[in-house]
Amino acid sequence: TDPRLVALVEALNPAQREAVTAPSEHRLVLAGAGSGKTRVLTHRIAWLMAVEGVSAHSVLAVTFTNKAANEMRGRIEQLVNVPVRAMWVGTFHGTAHKLLRLHWREAKLPQNFQILDADDQQRLVKRVLKGLEMAEDRFPPKMVTGWINAQKEEGRRPHQMADQGDYSQRQLVRAYTAYQQACEAQGLVDFAELLLRAYELFRDQPAVREHYHRKFRHVLVDEFQDTNTLQYLWLRLLCGPEAKIFAVGDDDQSIYGWRGAKVENIQKLSRDYPGIELVRLEQNYRSTGTILKAANGLIAHNSGRLGKNLWTEDREGEAIQLYAAYNEYDEAEFVVNRMRDYLDGHGRYSDLAVLYRSNAQSRVLEEMLIRARLPYRIYGGLRFFERMEVKDALAWLRLLVNRDDDGSFERALTTPPRGVGATSLEKLRAFAKQHELSLWKAARSGSAALGRTSGALGLFLDQIDLLDQQTRELPLAAKMEKLIERSGLKEHYKKEKGEQAEARLENLDELINAAKSFERPEEEGLDPVLNFLTHAALEAGEGQANAGEEAVQLMTLHSAKGLEFPVVFMVGLENGLFPSMRAVDEGNLEEERRLCYVGITRARQQLTISYAETRRIHGVEQICAPSQFLKEIPSETLVETRPRAAVLRSSFGVQSGRGGYGGGGFGGGGAPRSGLGSGYEHGNAWRERQQEGYNLSRPALSAKMTAEVGYGGYKLGQRVSHPSFGEGTILSFDGEGERTRVEIRFANAGTKWLMLAMAKLSPL
Ligand code: ATP
Ligand code: MG
């Protein structure tokens, strides 16, 4: 009769209530998207504490991301109305880390062991390979690192693999052995090692194991379908004879197979805990009837499903809008215009999410959002122009334009690495400072003071000059492409292998596309290269919402797992993009289809799906076929949307192509806001009009902006340092003469307006 308890169970349907309030047994909740799995898990914890008197100490809850873990703790605290700091809520890695800190001795680690991040790990592997005289072209450090991690994730130590396999396999095992020795000697633990160590800690130390068997009486796991082999093994060790496991998951949302997740763990769990209670939840509380129907229809094309039928009491809701865009710019503009329609009806920015298959797709969307002045945040990633590989490639271009740009000089000199070490760079810096030269000029001075690395350094200088000559006459995109190629960046990132490398290469290709859109040299006599670099510097700092601020969310489909939004845009539904080229080639579509299912089921009220009929890939316009998934979504849930021809012209014609957004977009100016408003028509009438003035290249920066370049010796995009705010980038100028104000985005102090005359800036 505690009103809080009443509220606790009243917020649940009978099946959920059963799962939350049932006596403690092993339990597996296997249910589709939006059926309340995560909700059941948090309510279960609250129930255990409030009714069964379970102490926060004896609960271990594991989720997929730190964000989810924090949210879960917050929800539980809300439900039970007390802080639950003593409860272990975290990711697998976080939990493993905590255990190793507490039991460093038993885990045979030094007390102050350090975590090796991905970069550090690779550098160490590289040194190890060198020590073993394993050639880098045959055994690229990135590849070897990936291989070592994969072994660890399967729970394999080098000694278990000794004398197995062919020559390269043996070499790899040799590298693994030496790498592990180096880690031990230096007290270093990489990410995969965290889990493996924690697993071995439980396996080999009965005292520790028994301690936790007494402690953790309730072990709860969210997103169980995406656990990997080692995580599962560890989970089993962690649960003592008294502990009850409570796992929730959805086989239809298993999307990390490529990273070693094993959906079979669901069946394993049922086998390993024979009496486990299986709970199915079938009512979806998230989405409208239409959205759910689309999701169900799509996923029915997968074979070997555990099978479930999701339904909702919610109304049918709006049809899913399907938009066939002319190209990626048209697609992004359409998305932004639909967002504005929604926001005009007083929706919130954070209601809106755009989901895409590949990271590189964010660039054009970002550009349109910035132009429309909609604050956005990229969830679980960096904005396009802030991504490492993009900044690397732009450093090369900057250096061609200005040899004295020290930041770019250092970046290009060291990425990809060319054998100029930290000490030589330090010497060069000191020399440059002493003689008040740029790094380039210092290096060119050929001073003997710079020592014996001058060989590698000299080659680099010559390479830059040569590249400059060779690319001088090339149009911007071709120049960019050549730079990416000849700088060695492409090779460098290719070696990384795996999904991460693919994403980086895609971003480099996307950079060429971006460059292409700046190739209108006649225009206003602007130099496309400078224009492009300014744009990149500005976009890197613009539009980004601060933490906690309202913003539109952009993210990959993978990072959207577990989340929900009132309005969702799923973009780029084209064969070769989604499903990805690799999945198509390998005939392995089921995981991609699950990813599409995850995407659709993120939407609560409105879902818009789009594809582009042409898309620039590698700087070349390519014709795209709509994704086969579109055919698998029941057609009665979709309605095709086309922009109205008249609006089309004002939106993409020369006039707005230059001035950016004038409110003349789709459905702009006073069109009714209900649904799609009058700004759209359904059908195909627009196609023939594409010929007239359908110019989608991006507008150049306005003349005004460029005229402002050069205030008091400073220019837009320039890096500067301020005595108290630190380093930053110039975003804009205002006013004239003594009253000139400058807007600077500081790396650690936010964005500020300062009086230029007073600000005591120094150029970097
Ligand atoms: P996913 O598979 O995407 O992780 P899920 O099964 O974990 O989804 P939840 O996120 O827990 O689903 O729930 C989906 C939405 O439905 C949430 O907004 C949740 O608050 C709501 N919800 C779940 N159960 C109920 C209920 N009985 N009454 C009202 N709302 C509910
Ligand atoms: Mg969930």
Side-chain angles (χ1 to χ4, degrees):
T1 47
D2 180 340
R4 266 187 297 125
L5 288 184
V6 175
L8 192 72
V9 291
E10 269 183 355
L12 302 167
N13 69 29
Q16 294 174 331
R17 195 174 304 161
E18 167 75 22
V20 165
T21 62
S24 287
E25 282 304 331
H26 299 303
R27 202 161 260 107
L28 168 63
V29 179
L30 191 60
S35 58
K37 294 183 296 299
T38 304
R39 185 184 179 104
V40 161
L41 195 139
T42 43
H43 279 68
R44 172 72 180 168
I45 297 175
W47 175 268
L48 288 172
M49 292 178 69
V51 178
E52 312 265 324
V54 167
S55 115
H57 286 107
S58 55
V59 175
L60 170 66
V62 187
T63 66
F64 208 71
T65 61
N66 288 314
K67 183 170 186 272
N70 290 334
E71 270 171 23
M72 180 166 295
R73 192 185 291 277
R75 297 280 293 279
I76 297 166
E77 288 182 347
Q78 237 174 22
L79 291 171
V80 299
N81 216 6
V82 289
V84 289
R85 254 165 279 148
M87 191 182 297
W88 286 43
V89 185
T91 61
F92 274 106
H93 283 101
T95 310
H97 178 238
K98 189 166 172 180
L99 282 168
L100 295 178
R101 284 280 170 226
L102 290 170
H103 303 284
W104 52 274
R105 234 183 241 113
E106 295 94 326
K108 302 188 182 70
L109 287 168
Q111 184 169 15
N112 61 348
F113 72 86
Q114 293 301 303
I115 306 295
L116 202 59
D117 71 20
D119 273 0
D120 294 341
Q121 183 188 20
Q122 205 182 294
R123 241 168 279 146
L124 180 54
V125 167
K126 194 181 158 109
R127 260 180 280 143
V128 164
L129 292 174
K130 205 169 206 155
L132 294 175
E133 296 188 333
M134 286 170 65
E136 271 198 32
D137 48 355
R138 177 117 193 241
F139 297 100
K142 292 185 183 179
M143 185 272 281
V144 178
T145 311
W147 184 86
I148 292 176
N149 290 340
Q151 303 317 306
K152 291 189 175 189
E153 272 154 24
E154 292 291 324
R156 283 194 286 269
R157 289 294 189 191
H159 66 85
Q160 296 164 294
M161 291 181 283
D163 302 324
Q164 281 172 20
D166 57 10
Y167 169 76
S168 16
Q169 165 94 7
R170 284 161 197 240
Q171 288 294 91
L172 286 168
V173 173
R174 224 177 119 223
Y176 184 8
T177 312
Y179 164 78
Q180 202 51 42
Q181 277 164 1
C183 286
E184 311 267 332
Q186 300 172 51
L188 299 172
V189 173
D190 62 53
F191 289 145
E193 183 75 15
L194 282 174
L195 284 175
L196 183 49
R197 273 286 160 138
Y199 165 73
E200 291 169 344
L201 173 69
F202 273 69
R203 189 192 59 191
D204 303 338
Q205 302 289 333
V208 173
R209 188 170 63 229
E210 277 152 28
H211 169 76
Y212 286 97
H213 283 179
R214 281 190 301 274
K215 173 175 167 58
F216 292 133
R217 296 308 172 98
H218 298 275
V219 176
L220 303 97
V221 189
D222 199 359
E223 307 277 5
F224 182 77
Q225 76 281 355
D226 278 323
T227 49
N228 68 26
T229 304
L230 189 60
Q231 289 164 344
Y232 181 72
L233 288 175
W234 183 44
L235 213 53
R236 289 220 53 200
L237 278 180
L238 215 93
C239 292
E242 309 288 320
K244 297 297 174 215
I245 196 160
F246 191 99
V248 312
D250 178 5
D251 56 309
D252 288 332
Q253 294 186 70
S254 146
I255 55 175
Y256 282 97
W258 55 275
R259 222 161 68 178
K262 299 271 159 45
V263 66
E264 306 87 271
N265 286 343
I266 294 179
Q267 283 96 335
K268 264 212 182 113
L269 190 71
S270 309
R271 236 179 295 130
D272 293 341
Y273 295 90
I276 197 165
E277 291 277 328
L278 185 64
V279 178
R280 294 187 180 267
L281 307 173
E282 305 210 307
Q283 181 169 0
N284 171 295
Y285 286 89
R286 181 180 290 147
S287 312
T288 63
T290 303
I291 291 169
L292 206 56
K293 191 172 192 180
N296 284 339
L298 174 84
I299 201 65
H301 288 79
N302 268 8
S303 59
R305 301 173 55 219
L306 298 177
K308 55 183 91 79
N309 195 24
L310 270 184
W311 57 276
T312 174
E313 268 175 7
D314 198 13
R315 64 209 160 84
E316 280 285 287
E318 290 172 36
I320 297 168
Q321 304 293 328
L322 176 63
Y323 181 67
Y326 172 69
N327 63 13
E328 67 272 30
Y329 281 91
D330 179 22
E331 179 181 59
E333 185 159 19
F334 170 78
V335 167
V336 164
N337 280 307
R338 270 194 60 94
M339 286 181 170
R340 296 173 139 203
D341 283 354
Y342 178 82
L343 293 166
D344 282 357
H346 310 294
R348 290 149 41 112
Y349 292 127
S350 55
D351 290 348
L352 302 162
V354 190
L355 312 182
Y356 38 80
R357 176 67 182 87
S358 138
N359 229 324
Q361 284 169 266
S362 79
R363 186 192 60 86
V364 174
L365 290 159
E366 289 182 61
E367 186 176 325
M368 288 293 178
L369 285 164
I370 289 170
R371 270 205 263 165
R373 299 188 188 285
L374 297 179
Y376 70 93
R377 184 176 298 121
I378 296 202
Y379 178 87
L382 291 171
R383 300 141 59 82
F384 183 79
F385 282 106
E386 289 172 355
R387 294 175 191 157
M388 181 167 76
E389 58 281 8
V390 170
K391 288 169 88 173
D392 287 344
L394 287 174
W396 282 77
L397 184 61
R398 285 214 170 83
L399 196 56
L400 288 201
V401 174
N402 173 14
R403 302 285 200 284
D404 297 327
D405 175 342
D406 283 350
S408 300
F409 179 91
E410 278 198 26
R411 195 163 186 129
L413 179 65
T414 48
T415 346
R418 57 191 65 252
V420 180
T423 354
S424 346
L425 193 56
E426 204 40 64
K427 265 190 209 152
L428 180 62
R429 278 200 211 104
F431 183 85
K433 193 158 179 206
Q434 190 191 349
H435 296 87
E436 292 182 14
L437 295 170
S438 67
L439 292 175
W440 173 272
K441 291 207 176 85
R444 262 284 178 245
S445 73
S447 165
L450 297 175
R452 58 185 179 83
T453 52
S454 56
L457 193 58
L459 284 176
F460 173 71
L461 303 177
D462 293 344
Q463 186 191 4
I464 295 292
D465 281 340
L466 185 67
L467 261 175
D468 190 7
Q469 271 171 34
Q470 288 173 336
T471 61
R472 184 150 290 179
E473 302 305 321
L474 292 178
L476 179 56
K479 189 193 263 252
M480 199 68 244
E481 184 167 4
K482 194 152 199 157
L483 276 181
I484 290 172
E485 195 78 48
R486 301 286 289 276
S487 61
L489 282 173
K490 195 165 184 173
E491 243 349 269
H492 175 64
Y493 283 119
K494 233 184 220 158
K495 280 191 209 145
E496 203 168 319
K497 294 262 160 55
E499 191 92 350
Q500 169 80 324
E502 257 168 55
R504 293 201 196 282
L505 293 173
E506 280 166 13
N507 282 330
L508 288 176
D509 274 352
E510 184 57 30
L511 188 63
I512 299 170
N513 293 342
K516 186 90 188 167
S517 68
F518 276 80
E519 278 178 11
R520 298 196 304 189
E522 323 76 37
E523 193 167 43
E524 297 162 31
L526 295 178
D527 175 15
V529 178
L530 292 179
N531 214 354
F532 179 52
L533 286 173
T534 313
H535 171 82
L538 290 174
E539 284 218 346
E542 227 180 292
Q544 178 79 322
N546 296 319
E549 242 170 47
E550 273 285 298
V552 169
Q553 317 267 319
L554 270 61
M555 68 194 80
T556 63
L557 286 149
H558 278 100
S559 13
K561 195 167 80 150
L563 306 179
E564 60 186 22
F565 306 92
V567 180
V568 168
F569 298 87
M570 217 165 52
V571 300
L573 269 277
E574 296 137 38
N575 275 341
L577 184 57
F578 190 28
S580 73
M581 189 62 84
R582 189 202 292 198
V584 174
D585 285 349
E586 294 172 0
N588 174 19
L589 287 174
E590 298 216 337
E591 183 152 309
E592 293 283 303
R593 195 175 282 113
R594 290 194 289 268
L595 192 56
C596 189
Y597 174 80
V598 167
I600 294 174
T601 53
R602 298 310 96 195
R604 295 174 62 180
Q605 287 134 33
Q606 283 183 20
L607 175 62
T608 301
I609 299 179
S610 58
Y611 63 94
E613 294 177 340
T614 63
R615 185 178 291 273
R616 211 169 251 162
I617 294 170
H618 209 80
V620 182
E621 202 112 275
Q622 308 211 347
I623 306 221
C624 313
S627 170
Q628 77 169 83
F629 297 151
L630 293 174
K631 284 183 234 123
E632 299 171 358
I633 296 174
S635 59
E636 68 271 23
T637 64
L638 296 169
V639 47
E640 234 187 305
T641 300
R642 294 284 190 182
R644 216 158 65 169
V647 182
L648 180 76
R649 240 171 306 158
S650 79
S651 176
F652 290 122
V654 175
Q655 180 205 342
S656 84
R658 222 161 272 226
Y661 267 81
F666 306 148
R673 297 298 173 206
S674 64
L676 277 171
S678 62
Y680 303 87
E681 66 179 10
H682 305 312
N684 266 316
W686 69 311
R687 195 155 309 261
E688 63 268 29
R689 297 202 166 74
Q690 287 177 8
Q691 269 72 26
E692 334 166 358
Y694 196 100
N695 183 352
L696 288 173
S697 24
R698 63 168 320 289
L701 292 172
S702 71
K704 180 160 175 285
M705 210 171 190
T706 336
E708 285 169 349
V709 167
Y711 264 105
Y714 290 99
K715 38 191 207 310
L716 288 177
Q718 185 167 350
R719 303 267 308 144
V720 292
S721 157
H722 182 275
S724 34
F725 299 132
E727 298 190 357
T729 307
I730 297 187
L731 298 183
S732 59
F733 294 97
D734 189 27
E736 283 171 24
E738 277 176 8
R739 280 192 302 278
T740 303
R741 298 190 324 134
V742 55
E743 187 186 17
I744 304 175
R745 180 173 47 87
F746 291 102
N748 299 312
T751 300
K752 301 204 182 320
W753 279 100
L754 304 170
M755 295 294 292
L756 187 56
M758 317 280 287
K760 299 211 181 75
L761 297 176
S762 42
L764 280 178

